């Protein structure tokens, strides 16, 4: 089976712009979670989607949003980018209480 | 809320030696899962080992084993016969099953360097 894929792998944006990241889960996995990884805060949970519904959300501002499509692919969107949003964004698909991670999208905000 | 603490920010070990990474956690739950993930310089997060809290037997995966002490809320990872490819960040993580959520709570990580 193919693993979790994330696109794009690298992204450079400027403050105030918005960005959309994409995640395709492992075939058959219906749950997709997103995490933000920074040197200062470590790995923090953003949100989780299951069958197109958000069923859990971390403590992030409303600028961070996501959605999931009927084929389980998920997108996350960050509006009005800030310098502090520079991070590695990891997506994970889940089944049977295990999460499998994608390679991440490295976002740099200038 | 659950918390996960890794008290060793950095560690090093000689190739072929054994090293133990520490992890403690705080929870009021009785049923949960614990994980160790490895993140090499490529940044790909890889599952190393998983432990279910209701299982008394410590999990083992080849050269990797855990010492799970439920009463002490401790979950350490032992790497035997360390190899250069074990050089990576290691994260301890907690998952509370139920309510259909797979959310993981991570520790801050331990950077492990294997020295030739």
């Amino acid at each position: 089976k193919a693993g979790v894929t994330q696109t794009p792998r690298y992204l450079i944006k400027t403050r105030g712009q918005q960005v959309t990241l994409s995640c395709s889960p492992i075939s058959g996995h219906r749950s997709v979670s997103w995490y933000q990884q920074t040197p200062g805060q470590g790995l923090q949970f953003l949100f989780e989607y299951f069958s197109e519904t958000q069923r859990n959300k971390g403590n992030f501002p409303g600028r961070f949003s996501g959605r999931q499509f009927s084929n389980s692919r998920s997108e996350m969107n960050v509006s009005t980018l800030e310098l502090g949003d520079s991070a590695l964004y990891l997506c994970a698909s889940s089944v049977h209480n295990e999460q499998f991670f994608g390679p991440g999208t490295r976002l740099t905000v200038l | 809320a659950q918390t996960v603490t890794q008290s060793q920010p950095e560690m090093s070990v000689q190739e072929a030696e054994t090293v133990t990474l520490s992890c403690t956690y705080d929870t009021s739950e009785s049923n949960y899962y614990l994980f160790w993930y490895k993140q090499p310089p490529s940044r790909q997060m890889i599952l190393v080992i998983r432990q279910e809290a209701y299982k008394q037997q410590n999990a083992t995966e080849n050269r990797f084993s855990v010492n799970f002490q439920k009463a002490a809320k401790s979950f350490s990872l032992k790497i035997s016969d360390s190899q250069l490819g074990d050089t990576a960040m290691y994260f301890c993580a907690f998952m509370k099953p139920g309510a259909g959520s797979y959310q993981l709570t991570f520790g801050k990580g331990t950077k492990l360097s294997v020295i030739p």
Side-chain angles (χ1 to χ4, degrees):
Chain A
K1 273 187 179 178
V4 179
T5 58
Q6 292 187 245
T7 56
R9 294 291 311 277
Y10 301 91
L11 206 49
I12 299 175
K13 292 285 187 180
T14 57
R15 279 181 300 173
Q17 287 187 309
Q18 76 166 17
V19 67
T20 299
L21 311 182
S22 180
C23 171
S24 292
I26 293 170
S27 177
H29 290 193
R30 294 161 65 190
S31 167
V32 173
S33 299
W34 289 89
Y35 295 84
Q36 181 196 65
Q37 185 177 21
T38 60
Q41 299 299 316
L43 283 148
Q44 294 186 284
F45 172 76
L46 279 156
F47 29 64
E48 178 185 4
Y49 286 87
F50 184 87
S51 294
E52 302 179 65
T53 301
Q54 186 184 89
R55 66 180 182 183
N56 202 1
K57 188 178 191 305
N59 189 25
F60 277 81
R63 300 185 297 106
F64 292 81
S65 63
R67 59 178 177 169
Q68 187 179 33
F69 301 95
S70 59
N71 62 357
S72 294
R73 188 178 70 87
S74 177
E75 289 181 347
M76 69 162 280
N77 183 277
V78 188
S79 62
T80 320
L81 284 165
E82 301 177 357
L83 295 178
D85 297 333
S86 293
L88 180 69
Y89 289 89
L90 292 166
C91 162
S93 75
S94 307
V95 71
H96 304 313
N97 296 312
E98 263 186 47
Q99 292 207 342
F100 300 86
F101 284 83
T105 294
R106 168 73 67 185
L107 172 65
T108 301
V109 182
L110 302 176
Chain B
Q2 287 72 234
T3 59
V4 178
T5 302
Q6 293 179 249
S7 58
Q8 306 149 315
E10 291 193 43
M11 295 187 73
S12 61
V13 62
Q14 291 290 137
E15 195 175 6
E17 296 295 308
T18 296
V19 64
T20 299
L21 280 57
S22 301
C23 172
T24 58
Y25 58 94
D26 187 25
T27 184
S28 58
E29 304 290 331
S30 58
N31 186 29
Y32 47 87
Y33 295 87
L34 295 165
F35 304 85
W36 279 98
Y37 280 89
K38 167 186 176 180
Q39 189 179 43
S42 67
R43 296 295 189 180
Q44 176 75 54
M45 195 76 81
I46 302 163
L47 177 64
V48 174
I49 202 165
R50 150 189 156 147
Q51 175 79 43
E52 296 165 61
Y54 64 87
K55 289 187 176 179
Q56 302 231 346
Q57 188 172 4
N58 290 325
T60 300
E61 288 287 341
N62 301 312
R63 298 183 295 108
F64 299 88
S65 62
V66 298
N67 183 5
F68 173 50
Q69 301 289 329
K70 191 172 184 179
K73 296 181 181 175
S74 170
F75 183 61
S76 60
L77 174 70
K78 185 172 83 170
I79 305 174
S80 304
D81 185 26
S82 296
Q83 300 175 0
L84 297 179
D86 295 333
T87 292
M89 283 291 292
Y90 286 82
F91 293 96
C92 179
F94 175 102
M95 177 192 288
K96 180 186 76 171
S101 176
Y102 294 121
Q103 178 184 346
L104 288 168
T105 300
F106 287 92
K108 292 292 189 184
T110 295
K111 183 177 181 181
L112 178 67
S113 298
V114 180
I115 303 165

